[in-house]
PDB file of all heavy atoms in Angstrom:
ATOM      1  N   ARG W 124      45.466  81.633  71.668  1.00  0.00           N
ATOM      2  CA  ARG W 124      46.515  82.617  71.762  1.00  0.00           C
ATOM      3  C   ARG W 124      47.518  82.357  70.540  1.00  0.00           C
ATOM      4  O   ARG W 124      47.512  81.318  69.945  1.00  0.00           O
ATOM      5  CB  ARG W 124      47.369  82.250  73.014  1.00  0.00           C
ATOM      6  CG  ARG W 124      46.484  82.447  74.279  1.00  0.00           C
ATOM      7  CD  ARG W 124      47.454  82.184  75.470  1.00  0.00           C
ATOM      8  NE  ARG W 124      48.220  80.922  75.199  1.00  0.00           N
ATOM      9  CZ  ARG W 124      47.953  79.843  76.059  1.00  0.00           C
ATOM     10  NH1 ARG W 124      47.357  79.918  77.187  1.00  0.00           N
ATOM     11  NH2 ARG W 124      48.680  78.780  75.836  1.00  0.00           N
ATOM     12  N   ALA W 125      48.238  83.445  70.232  1.00  0.00           N
ATOM     13  CA  ALA W 125      49.222  83.428  69.189  1.00  0.00           C
ATOM     14  C   ALA W 125      50.172  82.225  69.451  1.00  0.00           C
ATOM     15  O   ALA W 125      50.539  81.986  70.655  1.00  0.00           O
ATOM     16  CB  ALA W 125      49.994  84.712  69.026  1.00  0.00           C
ATOM     17  N   GLY W 126      50.486  81.384  68.489  1.00  0.00           N
ATOM     18  CA  GLY W 126      51.320  80.199  68.676  1.00  0.00           C
ATOM     19  C   GLY W 126      50.598  78.885  68.817  1.00  0.00           C
ATOM     20  O   GLY W 126      51.207  77.766  68.583  1.00  0.00           O
ATOM     21  N   ASP W 127      49.295  79.021  69.205  1.00  0.00           N
ATOM     22  CA  ASP W 127      48.507  77.773  69.478  1.00  0.00           C
ATOM     23  C   ASP W 127      48.279  76.997  68.048  1.00  0.00           C
ATOM     24  O   ASP W 127      48.097  77.683  66.970  1.00  0.00           O
ATOM     25  CB  ASP W 127      47.178  78.047  69.968  1.00  0.00           C
ATOM     26  CG  ASP W 127      47.110  78.358  71.405  1.00  0.00           C
ATOM     27  OD1 ASP W 127      48.225  78.213  71.987  1.00  0.00           O
ATOM     28  OD2 ASP W 127      46.033  78.853  71.908  1.00  0.00           O
ATOM     29  N   LEU W 128      48.269  75.764  68.073  1.00  0.00           N
ATOM     30  CA  LEU W 128      47.917  74.938  66.861  1.00  0.00           C
ATOM     31  C   LEU W 128      46.602  74.649  66.730  1.00  0.00           C
ATOM     32  O   LEU W 128      45.892  74.317  67.804  1.00  0.00           O
ATOM     33  CB  LEU W 128      48.808  73.612  66.901  1.00  0.00           C
ATOM     34  CG  LEU W 128      50.291  73.677  67.007  1.00  0.00           C
ATOM     35  CD1 LEU W 128      50.784  72.257  67.128  1.00  0.00           C
ATOM     36  CD2 LEU W 128      50.874  74.442  65.810  1.00  0.00           C
ATOM     37  N   VAL W 129      45.932  74.929  65.615  1.00  0.00           N
ATOM     38  CA  VAL W 129      44.467  74.784  65.306  1.00  0.00           C
ATOM     39  C   VAL W 129      44.235  73.907  64.156  1.00  0.00           C
ATOM     40  O   VAL W 129      44.988  73.749  63.279  1.00  0.00           O
ATOM     41  CB  VAL W 129      43.744  75.992  65.290  1.00  0.00           C
ATOM     42  CG1 VAL W 129      43.796  76.701  66.689  1.00  0.00           C
ATOM     43  CG2 VAL W 129      44.364  76.882  64.165  1.00  0.00           C
ATOM     44  N   GLU W 130      42.869  73.235  64.238  1.00  0.00           N
ATOM     45  CA  GLU W 130      42.334  72.607  63.116  1.00  0.00           C
ATOM     46  C   GLU W 130      41.117  73.349  62.609  1.00  0.00           C
ATOM     47  O   GLU W 130      40.395  73.686  63.551  1.00  0.00           O
ATOM     48  CB  GLU W 130      41.962  71.241  63.505  1.00  0.00           C
ATOM     49  CG  GLU W 130      41.165  70.502  62.453  1.00  0.00           C
ATOM     50  CD  GLU W 130      40.700  69.108  62.941  1.00  0.00           C
ATOM     51  OE1 GLU W 130      41.413  68.173  62.927  1.00  0.00           O
ATOM     52  OE2 GLU W 130      39.556  69.093  63.472  1.00  0.00           O
ATOM     53  N   ILE W 131      41.054  73.660  61.433  1.00  0.00           N
ATOM     54  CA  ILE W 131      39.912  74.480  60.856  1.00  0.00           C
ATOM     55  C   ILE W 131      39.159  73.545  59.849  1.00  0.00           C
ATOM     56  O   ILE W 131      39.723  73.113  58.905  1.00  0.00           O
ATOM     57  CB  ILE W 131      40.348  75.830  60.280  1.00  0.00           C
ATOM     58  CG1 ILE W 131      40.963  76.642  61.355  1.00  0.00           C
ATOM     59  CG2 ILE W 131      39.076  76.569  59.763  1.00  0.00           C
ATOM     60  CD1 ILE W 131      41.829  77.781  60.721  1.00  0.00           C
ATOM     61  N   THR W 132      37.863  73.361  60.118  1.00  0.00           N
ATOM     62  CA  THR W 132      37.167  72.469  59.204  1.00  0.00           C
ATOM     63  C   THR W 132      36.007  73.189  58.495  1.00  0.00           C
ATOM     64  O   THR W 132      35.177  73.878  59.189  1.00  0.00           O
ATOM     65  CB  THR W 132      36.486  71.273  60.038  1.00  0.00           C
ATOM     66  OG1 THR W 132      37.502  70.545  60.832  1.00  0.00           O
ATOM     67  CG2 THR W 132      35.881  70.249  59.097  1.00  0.00           C
ATOM     68  N   SER W 133      36.201  73.209  57.146  1.00  0.00           N
ATOM     69  CA  SER W 133      35.174  73.787  56.322  1.00  0.00           C
ATOM     70  C   SER W 133      34.399  72.646  55.599  1.00  0.00           C
ATOM     71  O   SER W 133      34.824  71.483  55.611  1.00  0.00           O
ATOM     72  CB  SER W 133      35.863  74.790  55.354  1.00  0.00           C
ATOM     73  OG  SER W 133      36.497  74.168  54.248  1.00  0.00           O
ATOM     74  N   PRO W 134      33.468  72.935  54.919  1.00  0.00           N
ATOM     75  CA  PRO W 134      32.730  71.883  54.167  1.00  0.00           C
ATOM     76  C   PRO W 134      33.727  71.046  53.152  1.00  0.00           C
ATOM     77  O   PRO W 134      33.494  69.936  52.941  1.00  0.00           O
ATOM     78  CB  PRO W 134      31.594  72.573  53.389  1.00  0.00           C
ATOM     79  CG  PRO W 134      31.289  73.756  54.252  1.00  0.00           C
ATOM     80  CD  PRO W 134      32.656  74.238  54.799  1.00  0.00           C
ATOM     81  N   ALA W 135      34.560  71.724  52.574  1.00  0.00           N
ATOM     82  CA  ALA W 135      35.418  71.167  51.507  1.00  0.00           C
ATOM     83  C   ALA W 135      36.791  70.879  51.872  1.00  0.00           C
ATOM     84  O   ALA W 135      37.514  70.103  51.496  1.00  0.00           O
ATOM     85  CB  ALA W 135      35.407  72.071  50.272  1.00  0.00           C
ATOM     86  N   THR W 136      37.341  71.513  52.972  1.00  0.00           N
ATOM     87  CA  THR W 136      38.795  71.525  53.234  1.00  0.00           C
ATOM     88  C   THR W 136      39.003  71.408  54.797  1.00  0.00           C
ATOM     89  O   THR W 136      38.346  72.010  55.639  1.00  0.00           O
ATOM     90  CB  THR W 136      39.403  72.857  52.766  1.00  0.00           C
ATOM     91  OG1 THR W 136      39.244  72.995  51.332  1.00  0.00           O
ATOM     92  CG2 THR W 136      40.933  72.623  52.860  1.00  0.00           C
ATOM     93  N   LEU W 137      40.119  70.757  55.109  1.00  0.00           N
ATOM     94  CA  LEU W 137      40.569  70.536  56.506  1.00  0.00           C
ATOM     95  C   LEU W 137      41.866  71.347  56.488  1.00  0.00           C
ATOM     96  O   LEU W 137      42.765  71.072  55.780  1.00  0.00           O
ATOM     97  CB  LEU W 137      40.747  69.168  57.053  1.00  0.00           C
ATOM     98  CG  LEU W 137      41.429  68.984  58.302  1.00  0.00           C
ATOM     99  CD1 LEU W 137      40.493  69.301  59.324  1.00  0.00           C
ATOM    100  CD2 LEU W 137      41.840  67.466  58.417  1.00  0.00           C
ATOM    101  N   TYR W 138      41.934  72.486  57.325  1.00  0.00           N
ATOM    102  CA  TYR W 138      43.151  73.195  57.439  1.00  0.00           C
ATOM    103  C   TYR W 138      43.859  72.957  58.821  1.00  0.00           C
ATOM    104  O   TYR W 138      43.249  72.849  59.850  1.00  0.00           O
ATOM    105  CB  TYR W 138      42.811  74.760  57.451  1.00  0.00           C
ATOM    106  CG  TYR W 138      42.141  75.197  56.165  1.00  0.00           C
ATOM    107  CD1 TYR W 138      40.838  75.379  56.209  1.00  0.00           C
ATOM    108  CD2 TYR W 138      42.903  75.553  54.998  1.00  0.00           C
ATOM    109  CE1 TYR W 138      40.068  75.833  55.039  1.00  0.00           C
ATOM    110  CE2 TYR W 138      42.259  76.009  53.892  1.00  0.00           C
ATOM    111  CZ  TYR W 138      40.901  76.151  53.862  1.00  0.00           C
ATOM    112  OH  TYR W 138      40.276  76.573  52.772  1.00  0.00           O
ATOM    113  N   LEU W 139      45.141  72.898  58.766  1.00  0.00           N
ATOM    114  CA  LEU W 139      45.961  72.780  60.103  1.00  0.00           C
ATOM    115  C   LEU W 139      46.960  73.980  60.011  1.00  0.00           C
ATOM    116  O   LEU W 139      47.670  74.139  59.097  1.00  0.00           O
ATOM    117  CB  LEU W 139      46.765  71.414  60.053  1.00  0.00           C
ATOM    118  CG  LEU W 139      45.947  70.206  59.964  1.00  0.00           C
ATOM    119  CD1 LEU W 139      46.813  68.971  59.733  1.00  0.00           C
ATOM    120  CD2 LEU W 139      44.982  70.080  61.191  1.00  0.00           C
ATOM    121  N   GLY W 140      47.030  74.687  61.155  1.00  0.00           N
ATOM    122  CA  GLY W 140      47.809  75.948  61.192  1.00  0.00           C
ATOM    123  C   GLY W 140      48.211  76.349  62.558  1.00  0.00           C
ATOM    124  O   GLY W 140      47.765  75.825  63.520  1.00  0.00           O
ATOM    125  N   VAL W 141      48.656  77.496  62.543  1.00  0.00           N
ATOM    126  CA  VAL W 141      49.263  78.226  63.683  1.00  0.00           C
ATOM    127  C   VAL W 141      48.564  79.584  63.891  1.00  0.00           C
ATOM    128  O   VAL W 141      48.533  80.352  62.834  1.00  0.00           O
ATOM    129  CB  VAL W 141      50.778  78.341  63.737  1.00  0.00           C
ATOM    130  CG1 VAL W 141      51.222  79.051  65.046  1.00  0.00           C
ATOM    131  CG2 VAL W 141      51.533  76.973  63.517  1.00  0.00           C
ATOM    132  N   ILE W 142      47.995  79.849  64.986  1.00  0.00           N
ATOM    133  CA  ILE W 142      47.415  81.122  65.324  1.00  0.00           C
ATOM    134  C   ILE W 142      48.502  82.309  65.225  1.00  0.00           C
ATOM    135  O   ILE W 142      49.523  82.133  65.917  1.00  0.00           O
ATOM    136  CB  ILE W 142      46.737  81.173  66.632  1.00  0.00           C
ATOM    137  CG1 ILE W 142      45.481  80.230  66.499  1.00  0.00           C
ATOM    138  CG2 ILE W 142      46.189  82.665  66.826  1.00  0.00           C
ATOM    139  CD1 ILE W 142      44.713  80.156  67.776  1.00  0.00           C
ATOM    140  N   ARG W 143      48.312  83.244  64.366  1.00  0.00           N
ATOM    141  CA  ARG W 143      49.296  84.351  64.264  1.00  0.00           C
ATOM    142  C   ARG W 143      48.813  85.547  65.171  1.00  0.00           C
ATOM    143  O   ARG W 143      49.610  86.141  65.806  1.00  0.00           O
ATOM    144  CB  ARG W 143      49.467  84.908  62.843  1.00  0.00           C
ATOM    145  CG  ARG W 143      50.044  84.059  61.943  1.00  0.00           C
ATOM    146  CD  ARG W 143      51.600  83.951  62.315  1.00  0.00           C
ATOM    147  NE  ARG W 143      52.294  82.880  61.500  1.00  0.00           N
ATOM    148  CZ  ARG W 143      53.231  83.068  60.696  1.00  0.00           C
ATOM    149  NH1 ARG W 143      53.590  84.313  60.481  1.00  0.00           N
ATOM    150  NH2 ARG W 143      53.724  82.003  60.062  1.00  0.00           N
ATOM    151  N   ASN W 144      47.472  85.811  65.279  1.00  0.00           N
ATOM    152  CA  ASN W 144      47.008  86.819  66.015  1.00  0.00           C
ATOM    153  C   ASN W 144      45.563  86.502  66.371  1.00  0.00           C
ATOM    154  O   ASN W 144      44.754  85.960  65.635  1.00  0.00           O
ATOM    155  CB  ASN W 144      46.936  88.016  65.175  1.00  0.00           C
ATOM    156  CG  ASN W 144      46.400  89.308  65.794  1.00  0.00           C
ATOM    157  OD1 ASN W 144      45.816  89.207  66.700  1.00  0.00           O
ATOM    158  ND2 ASN W 144      47.078  90.414  65.530  1.00  0.00           N
ATOM    159  N   SER W 145      45.162  86.767  67.677  1.00  0.00           N
ATOM    160  CA  SER W 145      43.836  86.567  68.192  1.00  0.00           C
ATOM    161  C   SER W 145      43.437  87.634  69.049  1.00  0.00           C
ATOM    162  O   SER W 145      44.162  87.938  70.163  1.00  0.00           O
ATOM    163  CB  SER W 145      43.849  85.112  68.966  1.00  0.00           C
ATOM    164  OG  SER W 145      42.520  84.918  69.447  1.00  0.00           O
ATOM    165  N   GLN W 146      42.443  88.384  68.635  1.00  0.00           N
ATOM    166  CA  GLN W 146      42.002  89.637  69.403  1.00  0.00           C
ATOM    167  C   GLN W 146      40.498  89.609  69.417  1.00  0.00           C
ATOM    168  O   GLN W 146      39.850  89.689  68.357  1.00  0.00           O
ATOM    169  CB  GLN W 146      42.471  90.938  68.794  1.00  0.00           C
ATOM    170  CG  GLN W 146      44.070  91.109  68.861  1.00  0.00           C
ATOM    171  CD  GLN W 146      44.429  92.343  68.243  1.00  0.00           C
ATOM    172  OE1 GLN W 146      43.711  93.035  67.374  1.00  0.00           O
ATOM    173  NE2 GLN W 146      45.502  92.874  68.595  1.00  0.00           N
ATOM    174  N   GLY W 147      39.959  89.316  70.580  1.00  0.00           N
ATOM    175  CA  GLY W 147      38.521  89.369  70.724  1.00  0.00           C
ATOM    176  C   GLY W 147      37.873  88.397  69.886  1.00  0.00           C
ATOM    177  O   GLY W 147      38.217  87.134  70.019  1.00  0.00           O
ATOM    178  N   GLU W 148      37.077  88.783  68.948  1.00  0.00           N
ATOM    179  CA  GLU W 148      36.171  87.889  68.145  1.00  0.00           C
ATOM    180  C   GLU W 148      36.947  87.572  66.773  1.00  0.00           C
ATOM    181  O   GLU W 148      36.337  86.956  65.948  1.00  0.00           O
ATOM    182  CB  GLU W 148      34.815  88.321  67.877  1.00  0.00           C
ATOM    183  CG  GLU W 148      34.103  88.528  69.130  1.00  0.00           C
ATOM    184  CD  GLU W 148      32.915  89.484  69.067  1.00  0.00           C
ATOM    185  OE1 GLU W 148      32.702  90.088  68.085  1.00  0.00           O
ATOM    186  OE2 GLU W 148      32.239  89.725  70.063  1.00  0.00           O
ATOM    187  N   ARG W 149      38.216  88.106  66.596  1.00  0.00           N
ATOM    188  CA  ARG W 149      38.912  88.048  65.334  1.00  0.00           C
ATOM    189  C   ARG W 149      40.099  87.167  65.475  1.00  0.00           C
ATOM    190  O   ARG W 149      40.902  87.358  66.436  1.00  0.00           O
ATOM    191  CB  ARG W 149      39.196  89.445  64.801  1.00  0.00           C
ATOM    192  CG  ARG W 149      39.749  89.359  63.438  1.00  0.00           C
ATOM    193  CD  ARG W 149      38.845  90.394  62.663  1.00  0.00           C
ATOM    194  NE  ARG W 149      39.408  90.472  61.213  1.00  0.00           N
ATOM    195  CZ  ARG W 149      38.792  89.921  60.207  1.00  0.00           C
ATOM    196  NH1 ARG W 149      37.751  89.111  60.379  1.00  0.00           N
ATOM    197  NH2 ARG W 149      39.331  90.034  59.043  1.00  0.00           N
ATOM    198  N   MET W 150      40.601  86.324  64.476  1.00  0.00           N
ATOM    199  CA  MET W 150      41.685  85.549  64.582  1.00  0.00           C
ATOM    200  C   MET W 150      42.252  85.351  63.185  1.00  0.00           C
ATOM    201  O   MET W 150      41.609  85.241  62.261  1.00  0.00           O
ATOM    202  CB  MET W 150      41.413  84.177  65.235  1.00  0.00           C
ATOM    203  CG  MET W 150      42.480  83.276  65.286  1.00  0.00           C
ATOM    204  SD  MET W 150      42.093  81.714  66.351  1.00  0.00           S
ATOM    205  CE  MET W 150      41.204  80.848  65.269  1.00  0.00           C
ATOM    206  N   THR W 151      43.661  85.347  63.090  1.00  0.00           N
ATOM    207  CA  THR W 151      44.353  85.073  61.922  1.00  0.00           C
ATOM    208  C   THR W 151      45.194  83.862  62.098  1.00  0.00           C
ATOM    209  O   THR W 151      45.924  83.765  63.139  1.00  0.00           O
ATOM    210  CB  THR W 151      45.226  86.337  61.505  1.00  0.00           C
ATOM    211  OG1 THR W 151      44.442  87.460  61.526  1.00  0.00           O
ATOM    212  CG2 THR W 151      46.014  86.047  60.208  1.00  0.00           C
ATOM    213  N   VAL W 152      45.052  82.972  61.079  1.00  0.00           N
ATOM    214  CA  VAL W 152      45.834  81.666  61.172  1.00  0.00           C
ATOM    215  C   VAL W 152      46.715  81.486  59.938  1.00  0.00           C
ATOM    216  O   VAL W 152      46.214  81.731  58.814  1.00  0.00           O
ATOM    217  CB  VAL W 152      44.863  80.511  61.162  1.00  0.00           C
ATOM    218  CG1 VAL W 152      45.550  79.151  61.169  1.00  0.00           C
ATOM    219  CG2 VAL W 152      43.971  80.538  62.458  1.00  0.00           C
ATOM    220  N   ALA W 153      47.985  81.168  60.300  1.00  0.00           N
ATOM    221  CA  ALA W 153      48.843  80.792  59.206  1.00  0.00           C
ATOM    222  C   ALA W 153      48.665  79.275  58.826  1.00  0.00           C
ATOM    223  O   ALA W 153      48.926  78.432  59.721  1.00  0.00           O
ATOM    224  CB  ALA W 153      50.354  81.124  59.547  1.00  0.00           C
ATOM    225  N   VAL W 154      48.216  78.919  57.695  1.00  0.00           N
ATOM    226  CA  VAL W 154      47.987  77.567  57.244  1.00  0.00           C
ATOM    227  C   VAL W 154      49.283  76.758  56.941  1.00  0.00           C
ATOM    228  O   VAL W 154      50.027  77.288  56.077  1.00  0.00           O
ATOM    229  CB  VAL W 154      47.040  77.478  56.180  1.00  0.00           C
ATOM    230  CG1 VAL W 154      46.803  76.041  55.580  1.00  0.00           C
ATOM    231  CG2 VAL W 154      45.632  78.146  56.559  1.00  0.00           C
ATOM    232  N   GLU W 155      49.376  75.698  57.588  1.00  0.00           N
ATOM    233  CA  GLU W 155      50.628  74.920  57.310  1.00  0.00           C
ATOM    234  C   GLU W 155      50.129  73.768  56.354  1.00  0.00           C
ATOM    235  O   GLU W 155      50.941  73.344  55.520  1.00  0.00           O
ATOM    236  CB  GLU W 155      51.061  74.154  58.603  1.00  0.00           C
ATOM    237  CG  GLU W 155      51.777  75.253  59.631  1.00  0.00           C
ATOM    238  CD  GLU W 155      52.902  75.951  59.248  1.00  0.00           C
ATOM    239  OE1 GLU W 155      53.806  75.282  58.463  1.00  0.00           O
ATOM    240  OE2 GLU W 155      53.024  77.129  59.595  1.00  0.00           O
ATOM    241  N   HIS W 156      49.071  73.179  56.442  1.00  0.00           N
ATOM    242  CA  HIS W 156      48.483  72.158  55.581  1.00  0.00           C
ATOM    243  C   HIS W 156      47.080  72.349  55.297  1.00  0.00           C
ATOM    244  O   HIS W 156      46.326  72.767  56.197  1.00  0.00           O
ATOM    245  CB  HIS W 156      48.656  70.746  56.276  1.00  0.00           C
ATOM    246  CG  HIS W 156      50.080  70.407  56.614  1.00  0.00           C
ATOM    247  ND1 HIS W 156      51.021  70.038  55.788  1.00  0.00           N
ATOM    248  CD2 HIS W 156      50.649  70.362  57.850  1.00  0.00           C
ATOM    249  CE1 HIS W 156      52.039  69.830  56.385  1.00  0.00           C
ATOM    250  NE2 HIS W 156      52.047  69.969  57.609  1.00  0.00           N
ATOM    251  N   ALA W 157      46.619  72.107  53.993  1.00  0.00           N
ATOM    252  CA  ALA W 157      45.313  72.228  53.630  1.00  0.00           C
ATOM    253  C   ALA W 157      44.991  70.960  52.936  1.00  0.00           C
ATOM    254  O   ALA W 157      45.593  70.638  51.923  1.00  0.00           O
ATOM    255  CB  ALA W 157      44.987  73.475  52.703  1.00  0.00           C
ATOM    256  N   LEU W 158      43.972  70.229  53.515  1.00  0.00           N
ATOM    257  CA  LEU W 158      43.610  68.923  52.761  1.00  0.00           C
ATOM    258  C   LEU W 158      42.275  68.848  52.284  1.00  0.00           C
ATOM    259  O   LEU W 158      41.277  69.264  53.019  1.00  0.00           O
ATOM    260  CB  LEU W 158      43.777  67.863  53.925  1.00  0.00           C
ATOM    261  CG  LEU W 158      45.117  67.741  54.631  1.00  0.00           C
ATOM    262  CD1 LEU W 158      44.999  66.936  55.988  1.00  0.00           C
ATOM    263  CD2 LEU W 158      46.143  67.128  53.732  1.00  0.00           C
ATOM    264  N   ASP W 159      42.030  68.451  51.125  1.00  0.00           N
ATOM    265  CA  ASP W 159      40.741  68.322  50.465  1.00  0.00           C
ATOM    266  C   ASP W 159      39.907  67.274  51.273  1.00  0.00           C
ATOM    267  O   ASP W 159      40.499  66.029  51.297  1.00  0.00           O
ATOM    268  CB  ASP W 159      40.779  68.019  48.981  1.00  0.00           C
ATOM    269  CG  ASP W 159      39.497  67.836  48.328  1.00  0.00           C
ATOM    270  OD1 ASP W 159      38.978  66.613  48.371  1.00  0.00           O
ATOM    271  OD2 ASP W 159      39.007  68.727  47.884  1.00  0.00           O
ATOM    272  N   ARG W 160      38.739  67.494  51.866  1.00  0.00           N
ATOM    273  CA  ARG W 160      38.140  66.516  52.718  1.00  0.00           C
ATOM    274  C   ARG W 160      37.628  65.224  51.886  1.00  0.00           C
ATOM    275  O   ARG W 160      37.542  64.146  52.342  1.00  0.00           O
ATOM    276  CB  ARG W 160      36.954  67.307  53.442  1.00  0.00           C
ATOM    277  CG  ARG W 160      37.496  68.212  54.579  1.00  0.00           C
ATOM    278  CD  ARG W 160      36.388  68.740  55.337  1.00  0.00           C
ATOM    279  NE  ARG W 160      35.788  67.719  56.145  1.00  0.00           N
ATOM    280  CZ  ARG W 160      34.691  67.746  56.705  1.00  0.00           C
ATOM    281  NH1 ARG W 160      34.006  68.965  56.592  1.00  0.00           N
ATOM    282  NH2 ARG W 160      34.159  66.796  57.330  1.00  0.00           N
TER     283      ARG W 160
END
């Protein structure tokens, strides 16, 4: 849901952020921190 805190892990980067919008299979996240893994 919008407002939830999430961790997004990619091969190179760890993102920490807040969900701005979540509808069905699509989500937008505002990134607060991006860390090189």
